Structures are given as structure tokens and as C-alpha cells.
Amino acid sequence: DNPPFNQVIRKGLITLDRMFCYLCLRDYKNGYINAQKCLGYFIPGSNNWFIFLESYFLLCMQTGNYKKAYEIFNMVNKHPRAGKPFPVRMEKWKIYEAYLHFIMELNPDEMFPESLYPERKFQVWQILRVVPEYSKDKRGYNVMILIVQILFLLIRKDFDQIISKAEALKTYTSRHLKKDEAYRSNCFIKMLLVMEKKSFDYELTRRLTHKYYEKLTNHQMTNDLSASIMEVIPYERLWEYILEELRISEEAH
């Protein structure tokens, strides 16, 4: 209400903070309301615009609004200022791109008609060959990479490679994921390790991971704010995709 402080940039930053808080709270309805307000506050190409689009992208991915997430990704990827002046920003978007293309591979015909595909095709091998550097991990990016690698390998029925990734998951968990700081990620990784240990058997995996699934669903994302960034797609939904892939794989044999 004070004219000297009634500035567009201040309103935009407050609205952006609200949007991120609602994302952490999983209050997606109010998250979208504030996202729409943010659209009118930030200049395309500005640092705050890129920060806003990252939160907006995560909001869309976590709510299953994948087409909108695709549009947001293209807005960022095609902008001439993408990656400037912070190259690490685009490293994060490469991980986001991998999760987006995982969804596209699950059901490309219905969600993403050919006309929506970018000129530059996503190269799966680029994400599969990444070796996480644990000593440099500070924001959970490595666990995001390891998980999406397993997702792509599962689609391709490359179980041998998943087995080789299991040791990396164990190492990462023991070194970097403290139970009180990353409870949900711990639960999800334990579920992946059970899947590998039980030789990707659908029924055994489903039954033996049920206790971890309940712990996961009972532990709200709000208790771990980093999860709002680490979980590009909520672990509960990812696990549904994984079980479905295991079931389809068994039926094919």
C-alpha cells in the first residue's frame, strides 16, 4: 500500500516466493494461481524469468501437466540467454529434459504429436553415459541422474545395466542421503534396490516394497524442501510407472 515500495519487481518476487512455497506444500491449485500472476511480472530472458520458469516447469511435471511442461522447456531451451550468466542453470535443465523425455517415451503418440517435437532430438545415450561425481554433489542432482538413468534402462529392458547402477545407488545413499534430510529419496532408492535384488519380478517387487511405499506416502514433501526440486516427478507416480513396466515386461515373456 506504500507507493515507494509498490514496484512490479517486488510484487513479482513475492509472488514467485509464494509459488515456490505452494509447490513445496503440494498445494498445486494455489501454485498455479501464483504462476499465472508471475507471467505478467518478469521480462523474458531476465534471471528472475528463468528462475520462475524452473518452478513453473516443476509445478507442471509434478501435477502431470506434461504438455505445458514441454512448452516451458522449449521456451527456456530456445531462448538466446539460456545458460547466461549461469551455465549450471542449463545443466539442471538437461536433467529436467531427461525426465520429460522419459514421459514422452511412455506414451508419445497421445501426449506429444510429432509436430511438437523439437528440431534437436533428445539423445538418450547422453544421459546414460553420465557418471555422477559424488564429491561435487551439493543439491541432489546426482540422485536425479541415477534415477532417470534407471528409468530409461527399464524401458529398454536393459536389466544388466540397471544391476550395475545398483551399486552406485548404494554408494550414493550411504555417502550423501541422510535419513532426516532426504527421507523420501531414501525410501525410493530402497524400493529400486529391492527391484534389482528380486530380479525385476513384478509381484515380488510390488509386495516387498509396499512398506517403503507407505513410508513414502506418509512422509509429506513439505518435511524436505529439497524434495521439491529433486522430485521432478513425485516418487509415488514414478513407482507406478516402474511397476507397470515390470508387469508389461513379464507379460511379454
Side-chain angles (χ1 to χ4, degrees):
D1 292 331
N2 295 291
F5 299 100
N6 193 344
Q7 302 170 6
V8 172
I9 186 63
R10 291 181 183 274
K11 291 180 179 179
L13 292 176
I14 291 172
T15 306
L16 178 59
D17 283 342
R18 285 177 175 168
M19 176 186 170
F20 184 72
C21 288
Y22 283 126
L23 176 65
C24 295
L25 291 166
R26 288 193 176 187
D27 184 344
Y28 297 127
K29 179 180 178 181
N30 279 309
Y32 274 110
I33 289 174
N34 282 272
Q36 292 302 310
K37 292 180 180 179
C38 281
L39 287 171
Y41 284 137
F42 302 120
I43 300 172
S46 65
N47 290 334
N48 288 328
W49 183 75
F50 282 111
I51 294 171
F52 155 63
L53 288 184
E54 182 180 339
S55 293
Y56 196 10
F57 175 85
L58 290 172
L59 179 66
C60 292
M61 290 293 286
Q62 291 181 15
T63 55
N65 191 358
Y66 300 127
K67 282 188 176 181
K68 187 62 180 180
Y70 182 92
E71 293 177 14
I72 295 169
F73 172 80
N74 275 340
M75 288 173 63
V76 173
N77 191 50
K78 294 179 179 179
H79 198 280
R81 287 201 74 244
K84 301 176 183 178
F86 306 110
V88 68
R89 175 190 292 146
M90 292 313 296
E91 292 300 315
K92 193 189 306 181
W93 277 100
K94 288 179 182 178
I95 301 175
Y96 293 161
E97 180 183 13
Y99 278 88
L100 182 59
H101 278 270
F102 164 72
I103 292 297
M104 293 169 71
E105 286 202 18
L106 286 181
N107 202 346
D109 294 333
E110 290 186 15
M111 294 183 184
F112 303 93
E114 189 66 26
S115 60
L116 286 180
Y117 276 77
E119 296 178 1
R120 179 182 62 80
K121 294 291 185 179
F122 176 72
Q123 301 295 328
V124 174
W125 61 268
Q126 291 180 339
I127 194 68
L128 292 179
R129 75 176 184 177
V130 172
V131 178
E133 299 179 43
Y134 301 114
S135 61
K136 295 182 180 181
D137 182 74
K138 294 181 179 180
R139 299 185 181 180
Y141 295 167
N142 287 334
V143 73
M144 295 163 66
I145 293 172
L146 286 168
I147 288 173
V148 79
Q149 286 175 336
I150 289 176
L151 295 174
F152 277 114
L153 291 170
L154 191 62
I155 288 179
R156 285 156 177 73
K157 310 296 187 292
D158 193 343
F159 300 123
D160 290 338
Q161 283 295 318
I162 295 178
I163 292 172
S164 70
K165 295 288 183 185
E167 191 60 37
L169 278 173
K170 293 176 185 176
T171 301
Y172 184 90
T173 303
S174 62
R175 292 183 183 179
H176 294 278
L177 292 186
K178 296 180 181 180
K179 183 177 180 180
D180 57 338
E181 294 179 356
Y183 185 87
R184 288 174 59 83
S185 292
N186 265 302
C187 289
F188 189 70
I189 287 175
K190 286 177 181 177
M191 293 159 74
L192 293 174
L193 293 175
V194 168
M195 175 186 73
E196 180 268 337
K197 186 177 181 179
K198 296 306 175 183
S199 302
F200 309 97
D201 181 282
Y202 165 73
E203 187 56 36
L204 280 177
T205 300
R206 185 192 64 79
R207 180 159 47 86
L208 296 178
T209 58
H210 183 68
K211 61 179 180 180
Y212 296 122
Y213 185 84
E214 286 195 330
K215 290 180 179 180
L216 186 67
T217 55
N218 290 332
H219 189 89
Q220 293 301 311
M221 195 180 288
T222 53
N223 294 329
D224 178 10
L225 297 183
S226 64
S228 300
I229 299 175
M230 290 174 64
E231 294 184 42
V232 183
I233 300 171
Y235 288 146
E236 293 92 336
R237 192 178 309 137
L238 276 186
W239 191 243
E240 292 174 5
Y241 293 147
I242 288 172
L243 287 179
E244 182 64 12
E245 285 298 314
L246 293 179
R247 186 188 64 79
I248 292 174
S249 180
E250 284 192 3
E251 290 182 352
H253 290 81

